[in-house]
Amino acid sequence: FYFSADIIAKGQTLNEVGPYPILGWLLWGSLAFVVLHWFIIPILQFATLKRPRQLTPQNRAKHALKHLRSLPKEQKSDEVNALIGEIESYLKRDMEQELQQALDKYKQYHDLRNKRANTIIREHCKLAIMGTIINRNALIDGIIMLVLQTKMVVALARCYGYKPSPVFNTLCFGWIIANSLTSYLLQDAADAISESAQEMYSELAIEESCGIGLKSIPFVGKFLSFLAEGILVGTTVCATGFIFRKQLQKDI
């Protein structure tokens, strides 16, 4: 909201550039799409998920079908295909007892679901590390952290088919907002590590009287800064993902 006035002014300026006022509208439309797709829709998807105690066998069966159908071909054995057919049949004919038995069989595939959850966490960690390293603006880093952690939590909840308790959700999103707002501290910490390393490296280079070593000091400092920031960001996002996944596993 703080930068919305500037975005409106830039859009109005772009509208005055060409013969038709479309460039500004393209800017506003693209930004609205990004906010809608990357932030608002995930939150709405999360809000519509039920808690475990609210799920009926039918809800669980529908999620089980969605998960089993999404498995890669190499993981779809004859047993998996047979289980899909059983669940579909019992769900259509409203055979609750048989449906529950089929869901008990489905529990053996929780390991596959956990692997999918781990993949989700790894993918979002990589995106967060790349995004914060490439971008050197602390505000944009905070937005990247906020959006990616939110999308990761939503993706994990959708993977398991339900969300934790309201208290846990409040604490989790509070943690996400807090570490996103303070993301500039990660840059400061990375820069401090880089400066300390540069001082140590320069002292060693001077002692060795190595001109080449002195020339490479800025590059070494930048590399260490990127490495430190990547580790700090990756650790933060991983912690969020693993804590949320652990809570989901408890509610199975």
Side-chain angles (χ1 to χ4, degrees):
F1 290 117
Y2 180 77
F3 289 95
S4 61
D6 188 41
I7 291 170
I8 292 171
K10 287 181 178 178
Q12 290 172 342
T13 303
L14 286 172
N15 281 337
E16 296 171 359
V17 171
Y20 300 102
I22 58 172
L23 294 178
W25 286 105
L26 286 174
L27 172 66
W28 296 331
S30 60
L31 288 175
F33 173 78
V34 168
V35 172
L36 185 68
H37 177 73
W38 285 90
F39 202 71
I40 295 177
I41 289 178
I43 290 177
L44 292 176
Q45 289 173 338
F46 185 83
T48 56
L49 287 172
K50 296 181 181 294
R51 296 199 296 275
R53 65 184 182 185
Q54 297 173 326
L55 291 174
T56 63
Q58 287 75 16
N59 294 139
R60 293 183 181 274
K62 289 176 183 177
H63 177 73
L65 281 175
K66 185 177 179 181
H67 175 242
L68 292 173
R69 286 169 180 162
S70 67
L71 292 175
K73 288 184 178 180
E74 58 270 17
Q75 294 181 2
K76 283 188 177 179
S77 60
D78 292 338
E79 293 180 358
V80 171
N81 289 325
L83 182 58
I84 291 174
E86 286 181 25
I87 295 175
E88 285 178 339
S89 176
Y90 298 147
L91 194 57
K92 287 179 181 176
R93 292 186 286 172
D94 201 19
M95 301 171 67
E96 191 162 334
Q97 186 175 355
E98 290 79 1
L99 185 62
Q100 188 59 55
Q101 292 174 355
L103 289 174
D104 291 338
K105 290 182 186 178
Y106 169 68
K107 288 181 180 178
Q108 64 183 307
Y109 298 101
H110 283 165
D111 287 341
L112 295 176
R113 189 162 56 176
N114 292 338
K115 288 179 182 177
R116 173 59 185 154
N118 289 336
T119 302
I120 290 171
I121 295 172
R122 283 198 302 270
E123 288 173 351
H124 285 82
C125 280
K126 290 176 184 177
L127 289 173
I129 291 170
M130 288 189 294
T132 53
I133 287 178
I134 293 171
N135 170 70
R136 306 311 298 162
N137 184 293
L139 174 67
I140 303 300
D141 282 353
I143 295 172
I144 291 171
M145 291 282 285
L146 177 65
V147 171
L148 286 177
Q149 286 183 99
T150 302
K151 284 186 70 66
M152 177 182 65
V153 164
V154 173
L156 288 171
R158 293 182 67 191
C159 177
Y160 283 86
Y162 49 82
K163 60 186 177 185
S165 67
V167 173
F168 183 85
N169 293 334
T170 302
L171 293 173
C172 182
F173 281 107
W175 155 257
I176 290 173
I177 292 170
N179 67 48
S180 300
L181 289 173
T182 58
S183 61
Y184 66 91
L185 294 177
L186 301 180
Q187 270 195 16
D188 292 344
D191 291 340
I193 293 171
S194 171
E195 290 173 5
S196 300
Q198 285 186 59
E199 290 177 4
M200 292 176 60
Y201 189 74
S202 61
E203 290 174 3
L204 290 172
I206 291 170
E207 289 177 2
E208 296 293 331
S209 300
C210 180
I212 297 175
L214 288 172
K215 291 178 182 178
S216 63
I217 288 174
F219 298 102
V220 173
K222 280 291 182 185
F223 172 76
L224 290 175
S225 176
F226 291 155
L227 180 63
E229 187 175 1
I231 292 172
L232 292 171
V233 168
T235 303
T236 302
V237 177
C238 271
T240 304
F242 285 128
I243 290 170
F244 196 81
R245 189 201 64 177
K246 190 70 175 178
Q247 184 63 31
L248 289 168
Q249 288 174 333
K250 286 181 181 178
D251 293 332
I252 290 176

